């Protein structure tokens, strides 16, 4: 999917995760131990797991890679669990300390959103601080909406359901939105099975950072293109702080602007062809 469509899908999946978290927490109850903070840890962890896992699935679905989808869901779910277990007790503690203000609980949910954003940075191609910032903003705003919905709606169950739906949607939307607005480099698939998909490259841009492998094998490549004429590891992208160098690693060849290359420095809007798949390199300075 494109970077802009990620905003929609992340928000939708986050909202679904919030509704699932609402159902799970209702089955468990909110006061199953005398210690309110222990209850908050467990309930927060379950809500975080549901929202985090669904947003993580969105990160994987954006690449249409089943292995990446499951991996993203697992990592994001685990960090969401940790974020909820930490964030909800913090929210309750600040709520008690500051005299019951909505903002105090929203800050706790901001911690939760921050860790979901970290997971998105691990799974995707964005720099971690960008998705973490989006998660923090989304968590604080979502926490504010959650507490507002719970206060305005007379039915406590309905208020909680609406609030968690808004929380999940807010975290998902802002993670994808901040990454969209701050993206510096990405590949757009122009033809082939993944036409329209965009792969963010920011995480690989630093000169001393990791390289990005492009290929057809989900276990060997960071950017996976389902094309039988593309090798498992067809080419390698290496960052140079402000641009990328593309190195061919295949027998079939890699072409930049219709010229076969062994190694080339990429420039904005250049066309890359591998097998039957054509990509466009974008950079924003």
């Amino acid at each position: 999917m494109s970077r802009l469509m990620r905003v929609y899908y992340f928000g939708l999946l986050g909202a679904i995760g919030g509704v699932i978290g609402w159902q799970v927490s209702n089955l468990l109850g909110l006061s199953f131990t005398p210690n309110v903070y222990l209850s908050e840890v467990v309930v927060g962890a379950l809500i975080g797991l549901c929202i985090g896992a669904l947003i993580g699935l969105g990160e994987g679905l954006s690449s249409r890679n089943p292995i990446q989808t499951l991996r993203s869901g697992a990592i994001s779910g685990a960090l969401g669990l940790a974020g909820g277990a930490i964030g909800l007790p913090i929210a309750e503690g600040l709520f008690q300390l500051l005299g019951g203000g909505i903002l105090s609980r929203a800050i706790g949910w901001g911690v939760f959103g921050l860790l979901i954003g970290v997971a998105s940075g691990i799974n995707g191609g964005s720099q971690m601080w960008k998705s973490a910032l989006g998660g923090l903003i989304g968590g604080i705003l979502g926490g504010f909406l959650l507490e507002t919905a719970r206060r305005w709606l007379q039915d406590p169950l309905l208020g909680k359901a609406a609030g968690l739906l808004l929380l999940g949607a807010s975290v998902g939307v802002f993670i994808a939105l901040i990454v969209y607005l701050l993206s510096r480099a990405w590949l757009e698939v122009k033809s082939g099975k993944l036409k329209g998909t965009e792969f963010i490259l920011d995480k690989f841009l630093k000169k001393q950072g990791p390289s990005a492998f492009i290929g057809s094998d989900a276990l060997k490549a960071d950017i996976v293109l389902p094309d039988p004429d593309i090798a498992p590891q067809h080419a390698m992208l290496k960052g140079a702080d402000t641009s990328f160098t593309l190195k061919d690693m295949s027998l079939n060849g890699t072409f930049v602007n219709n010229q076969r290359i062994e190694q080339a420095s990429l420039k904005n809007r250049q066309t890359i062809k591998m097998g039957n798949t054509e990509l466009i390199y974008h950079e924003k300075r």
Side-chain angles (χ1 to χ4, degrees):
M1 69 182 73
S2 68
R3 293 173 304 132
L4 191 56
M5 283 300 295
R6 282 162 51 96
V7 178
Y8 168 75
Y9 280 107
F10 273 44
L12 177 63
L13 290 169
I16 294 172
V19 173
I20 295 173
W22 165 66
Q23 288 282 20
V24 171
S25 63
N26 282 342
L27 291 174
L28 182 63
L30 295 177
S31 302
F32 53 90
T33 74
N35 188 322
V36 65
Y37 288 103
L38 179 58
S39 297
E40 297 284 3
V41 167
V42 177
V43 171
L46 291 172
I47 293 171
L49 172 64
C50 295
I51 295 176
L54 266 291
I55 291 177
L57 291 177
E59 186 70 62
L61 289 171
S62 67
S63 64
R64 303 187 197 179
N65 180 346
I67 294 176
Q68 178 68 15
T69 299
L70 293 175
R71 176 179 178 273
S72 297
I75 292 174
S76 188
L79 285 179
L81 183 148
I86 296 169
L88 194 54
I90 289 177
E92 183 62 34
L94 289 173
F95 183 77
Q96 299 293 340
L97 182 65
L98 300 178
I102 291 178
L103 182 60
S104 58
R105 277 187 171 155
I107 292 172
W109 285 114
V111 174
F112 158 75
L114 176 71
L115 288 184
I116 298 292
V118 167
S120 183
I122 292 173
N123 294 321
S126 68
Q127 290 172 299
M128 193 176 295
W129 72 267
K130 295 175 183 177
S131 53
L133 174 62
L136 176 64
I137 295 171
I140 291 174
L141 177 60
F144 180 81
L145 293 173
L146 167 61
E147 296 303 323
T148 301
R150 290 175 66 176
R151 293 188 181 200
W152 282 5
L153 295 175
Q154 294 182 350
D155 186 336
L157 287 179
L158 182 60
K160 182 182 172 187
L164 286 175
L165 183 149
L166 292 170
L167 172 68
S170 179
V171 171
V173 163
F174 275 92
I175 287 174
L177 182 61
I178 295 298
V179 168
Y180 172 77
L181 294 174
L182 300 182
S183 295
R184 292 182 59 192
W186 63 96
L187 286 175
E188 176 191 356
V189 181
K190 196 67 176 176
S191 66
K193 293 182 179 180
L194 297 186
K195 183 178 180 180
T197 300
E198 293 178 339
F199 295 95
I200 300 168
L201 303 174
D202 291 16
K203 184 166 68 177
F204 308 103
L205 189 55
K206 286 187 178 181
K207 189 173 183 179
Q208 303 302 324
S211 299
F213 291 95
I214 306 173
S216 58
D217 191 328
L219 298 177
K220 296 181 179 180
D222 301 287
I223 297 170
V224 182
L225 302 172
D227 184 332
D229 292 323
I230 292 180
Q233 278 189 335
H234 196 100
M236 180 180 71
L237 280 167
K238 181 64 180 175
D241 291 332
T242 58
S243 61
F244 279 96
T245 297
L246 179 66
K247 181 180 180 181
D248 180 45
M249 300 171 62
S250 70
L251 296 176
N252 294 338
T254 299
F255 299 82
V256 175
N257 286 355
N258 295 320
Q259 293 186 347
R260 185 165 183 167
I261 58 102
E262 290 185 6
Q263 184 168 304
S265 295
L266 294 178
K267 297 180 180 179
N268 189 37
R269 301 293 300 178
Q270 282 187 322
T271 300
I272 302 166
K273 187 173 183 182
M274 302 176 187
N276 297 307
T277 302
E278 191 174 71
L279 308 100
I280 298 177
Y281 170 72
H282 297 270
E283 65 179 35
K284 184 168 61 177
R285 297 181 183 273

